[in-house]
Amino acid sequence: MTSRMRLSALLLPVLFAACGGGGGGGTSNAPPAPNLLTVADVEKIVAQAIAEAQAQGAPATIAVVDRVGNVLAVYQMTGAPAMSTITSGTGASGGLENVKVPSSLAAISMAVTGAYLSSSGNGFTSRTASQIVQDHFNPKENQQPGGPLFGVQFSQLFCSDLVTTLQGGRFGPKASPLGLSAEPGGLPVYKNGVVVGGVGVMATGVYSLDLDIYDNDSNVNELIAVAGSSGFATPAGVRADRITVDGRSLRFVDSEAIKSNPAAAPAFGTLPPSAGSLQSTPFGGSPIAAGTAFGTPESGYRPDTTPAFAGTNAYVLVNGANANRFPPTGSALITEAEVTQILKSAIEVANRARAQIRQPGGSAAQVTISVVDTQGKVLGLIRTPDAPVFGTDVSLQKARTAAFFSSVTAASVLSGLPPAGYPSGPVSIAAFVPATRAFLSDPNAFANGVAYSNRGLGNLARPYFPDGIAGANAGPLSVAPP
């Protein structure tokens, strides 16, 4: 969550844009062995988190998800805040500032963040997310550009036609109730060195972000999640704090000084009714369920079996019938063979590229590649085996963004949209068109066929232009900082 609304913050560059980066071991691009969270595993994670919450005197809502976002459990302790308040902590107004949401949805979003940002080559938490989505990277470093994943929190939303819902079956990727989270307290969980899901905790009733990474917080949400992940912890070698971006170390958690002994936590089945109860949500949560094994058809991700991508280690998204959801397809302006070649060429480059944000060094890049037509229809989507799950939705957003804003109809479509509804009042979408035309001194912008990459659109959508220069005016696809 950030303090600003941006038109293209949830639209990130072109046709076959890659998301995520890194590999699973050395220069290998081999898929990790299938692993999954069993019901007993989920019960252990929840029970350990409950014990720490009791030791902290902080009743909490605890959520556990698998790697593709299936909600396996939501447990609300007696006395835990039922609602949480969204706030940027910056004094901002408007948008979602000070809106209250069910704590269960906050906890789920935090768990999804830990699972979706992580892989066998990198373990990222919601605190890591907070560091890389803000107006500057690092936060509060004036004259530094926005975070490398600025705006990515506006992905994985259930309005996407790529993510699935509980009603659609167990295959993923699943939607996140509040998108990706920057509130500390969401951690990935691992088995045998492979990410199998995430745990999220909401005890404070405040859904925010870490505005100051130069101190070490004692965040109760995070401490409870640390205890919950005991026995399923991120391997030390791939934790975010072992990874650098542009010479800056990433954050994993600020403190692991838990008060309980997770190994001595009472078994879940022995907890009295007075401790709390499992919660049903539109996303799942009761009864406790086992997760899916990533890379198997049940998870919605499996190896491609067609001759077109032989030898590339390509993976595809499948539906409940194990059919490829987005096979290469032609349209009026591009043939199936051309779509196939774009996808194949891109994944071959990824297989030869060195990842920047994964361990060990020298690992191959892990990416998702999407191709769309001029109307945003998906013409093909493939990925490498261990790319972070969040990149599936973001890759498609990138392709659609570049195609849409480069079309001659973008201005008329935007101008015809109704205002966006927020609790604080409506926000005009149409107003971004004249603002951009005035900024570019181009009365026909978004209607003259000029091609825009997502990098260019990202610059226009930043809260400062030039990017990172505090005190500068906002880009025309953004709004002024508070």
Side-chain angles (χ1 to χ4, degrees), residues 314-337:
Y315 271 53
V316 295
L317 270 67
V318 295
N319 59 24
N322 195 23
N324 188 348
R325 293 174 60 192
F326 306 111
T329 305
S331 71
L333 300 176
I334 189 170
T335 67
E336 179 181 327

Side-chain angles (χ1 to χ4, degrees), residues 6 39 66 112 129 160 195 223 280 325 342 357 366 420 459 467:
R6 310 164 186 88
V39 169
D66 70 8
V112 168
S160 167
V195 61
L223 291 169
S280 294
R325 293 174 60 192
I342 291 171
I357 58 169
Q366 299 276 350
N459 289 334
D467 185 19

Side-chain angles (χ1 to χ4, degrees), residues 368-471:
T368 300
I369 306 149
S370 300
V371 177
V372 303
D373 69 8
T374 56
Q375 302 302 309
K377 178 184 176 182
V378 185
L379 300 181
L381 187 153
I382 60 172
R383 50 176 280 130
T384 50
D386 197 34
V389 170
F390 87 95
T392 314
D393 190 39
V394 174
S395 172
L396 182 55
Q397 291 180 345
K398 288 181 176 184
R400 285 173 164 167
T401 299
F404 173 73
F405 281 94
S406 300
S407 72
V408 296
T409 60
S412 62
V413 171
L414 292 172
S415 298
L417 291 175
Y422 286 90
S424 58
V427 174
S428 173
I429 300 298
F432 287 104
V433 174
T436 303
R437 288 175 167 177
F439 182 86
L440 298 176
S441 298
D442 181 356
N444 296 309
F446 299 152
N448 53 12
V450 170
Y452 288 89
S453 70
N454 285 79
R455 186 178 296 277
L457 290 164
N459 289 334
L460 297 176
R462 300 287 178 155
Y464 305 109
F465 190 94
D467 185 19
I469 307 301

Side-chain angles (χ1 to χ4, degrees), residues 42-188:
V42 178
E43 289 180 340
K44 181 179 180 181
I45 292 169
V46 173
Q48 290 176 162
I50 291 171
E52 178 64 18
Q54 291 172 336
Q56 293 282 349
T61 300
I62 302 146
V64 180
V65 303
D66 70 8
R67 188 176 180 181
V68 297
N70 288 300
V71 178
L72 309 182
V74 176
Y75 188 93
Q76 190 164 82
M77 297 174 64
T78 300
M83 304 293 288
S84 294
T85 302
I86 297 175
T87 177
S88 66
T90 65
S93 60
L96 298 178
E97 191 74 12
N98 295 320
V99 170
K100 293 184 180 296
V101 296
S103 293
S104 57
L105 302 189
I108 291 171
S109 299
M110 294 154 72
V112 168
T113 301
Y116 275 20
L117 290 180
S118 302
S119 70
S120 295
N122 71 291
F124 287 1
T125 67
S126 56
R127 185 178 291 277
T128 313
S130 180
Q131 181 182 359
I132 58 182
V133 301
Q134 295 191 45
D135 298 344
H136 300 288
F137 180 70
N138 280 321
K140 291 195 172 182
E141 287 191 15
N142 193 10
Q143 316 306 315
Q144 293 297 326
L149 290 186
F150 179 86
V152 77
Q153 58 270 41
F154 296 101
S155 64
Q156 326 307 319
L157 297 172
F158 49 83
C159 55
S160 167
D161 58 354
L162 182 140
V163 298
T164 63
T165 64
L166 175 65
Q167 292 70 31
R170 286 171 60 81
F171 67 93
K174 286 289 186 292
S176 175
L178 304 176
L180 295 183
S181 174
E183 167 64 34
L187 272 67

